Amino acid sequence: MKKYDYLVVFGRGAQEGPLGWEPTGPIELTTEGGGHTGKKVADLDMNSDDPRNVIAGAGMNVEAASILYKELRQAGEPPLKVVFAAGRPAYLANAPSHVTEGSALRKVFEATTDLDESTEIQMQATNRNTRDDLIQTLKAALETGLLRICIISVLVHLPRCHEFYLKALETNPEFHRCSVDFVASEMVIWEHYPERRQEVGDLLVSRAYERTAQRERKGIGDIRDNKYDFGDKK
């Protein structure tokens, strides 16, 4: 199994439910402009015609991170750092000051994962978008000299993550020293839980997935054309 120094979990949203702040589920209902709302909506249909109904997936990201961490630890090489690269985007402006996307993910991760004493959890609390998440991760890797990085997010998000990575390499050549793998949380779950493959497969062919993929493709084009609107989207 490939070894990593950094296991980096990207956000994809936090939401306030009856028991407090938690990671978003596979689907969320966004604002009219496509941003996170921070509010949990129950019983969302992945094949709804509502244009606000899209892939979120923070909960899948943290579940995949826990699975990968356990596998790496069993192989005798737990990551030295687990990083929640999920800060405080604009939609959390009115949430309590301690709330970040990462704090919601970390709570679930620590509840489901037995950490090795050699592993340190780190939070990126000031990030506001995917570019911030990526740049701060690469800078931290260079500062520590721990250059083997695994970045976890949902499949539909990874092409845009990679596009930001390519842009970062153009402007920061020193980032070439880092070894970066992008891992889809759905694929980790698919491999680990054969009994959930129908569930994952249905999500990947849903209307919500195709709708989100269209938006992501537009975002990639905007990144390449240097006209990306960072706004409040992740």
Side-chain angles (χ1 to χ4, degrees):
M1 186 173 188
K2 192 167 184 179
K3 300 175 177 61
Y4 296 104
D5 302 310
Y6 277 90
L7 193 61
V8 183
V9 190
F10 277 14
R12 300 294 294 177
Q15 57 192 12
E16 187 177 19
L19 301 179
W21 287 88
E22 61 188 52
T24 52
I27 309 295
E28 71 172 331
L29 195 67
T30 68
T31 66
E32 294 292 342
H36 300 301
T37 67
K39 300 299 181 183
K40 184 174 183 177
V41 179
D43 301 322
L44 291 172
D45 178 4
M46 70 178 71
N47 288 307
S48 167
D49 290 329
D50 191 327
R52 299 171 299 163
N53 192 292
V54 298
I55 300 294
M60 292 191 294
N61 289 351
V62 74
E63 181 179 8
S66 181
I67 292 169
L68 284 177
Y69 183 87
K70 292 169 185 175
E71 291 177 349
L72 289 162
R73 189 178 185 193
Q74 289 171 359
E77 291 283 349
L80 296 176
K81 313 282 186 184
V82 174
V83 180
F84 293 96
R88 193 174 166 88
Y91 76 94
L92 293 176
N94 295 322
S97 59
H98 67 277
V99 173
T100 65
E101 289 187 354
S103 66
L105 273 66
R106 178 177 182 169
K107 180 172 66 175
V108 175
F109 183 81
E110 291 185 327
T112 57
T113 312
D114 184 18
L115 286 179
D116 189 86
E117 61 182 12
S118 67
T119 299
E120 176 187 4
I121 290 184
Q122 294 184 340
M123 308 289 288
Q124 294 181 6
T126 60
N127 298 1
R128 294 175 65 84
N129 52 59
T130 298
R131 182 184 61 179
D132 290 351
D133 299 341
L134 182 65
I135 296 294
Q136 191 165 339
T137 294
L138 294 169
K139 286 182 175 179
L142 290 179
E143 288 170 1
T144 60
L146 302 172
L147 304 177
R148 300 175 299 180
I149 302 168
C150 175
I151 292 175
I152 301 168
S153 193
V154 289
L155 182 63
V156 75
H157 185 217
L158 289 185
R160 180 161 58 93
C161 294
H162 191 259
E163 198 65 33
F164 277 127
Y165 174 61
L166 295 178
K167 280 287 187 182
L169 293 178
E170 289 178 9
T171 55
N172 301 271
E174 65 273 19
F175 289 159
H176 281 282
R177 293 173 51 203
C178 299
S179 171
V180 182
D181 287 342
F182 294 90
V183 174
S185 55
E186 298 98 322
M187 298 300 98
V188 174
I189 294 167
W190 173 285
E191 290 293 336
H192 192 76
Y193 294 111
E195 68 274 17
R196 292 175 61 185
R197 289 180 179 174
Q198 184 68 51
E199 168 195 340
V200 173
D202 289 346
L203 184 66
L204 297 182
V205 297
S206 68
R207 291 183 180 177
Y209 187 93
E210 178 52 33
R211 184 178 298 122
T212 312
Q214 289 176 356
R215 296 180 184 183
E216 292 287 335
R217 288 192 289 269
K218 181 182 183 303
I220 290 170
D222 288 347
I223 294 168
R224 292 173 179 171
D225 294 338
N226 295 311
K227 60 180 184 181
Y228 188 84
D229 177 15
F230 288 93
D232 67 343
K233 304 179 184 66
K234 283 293 282 187

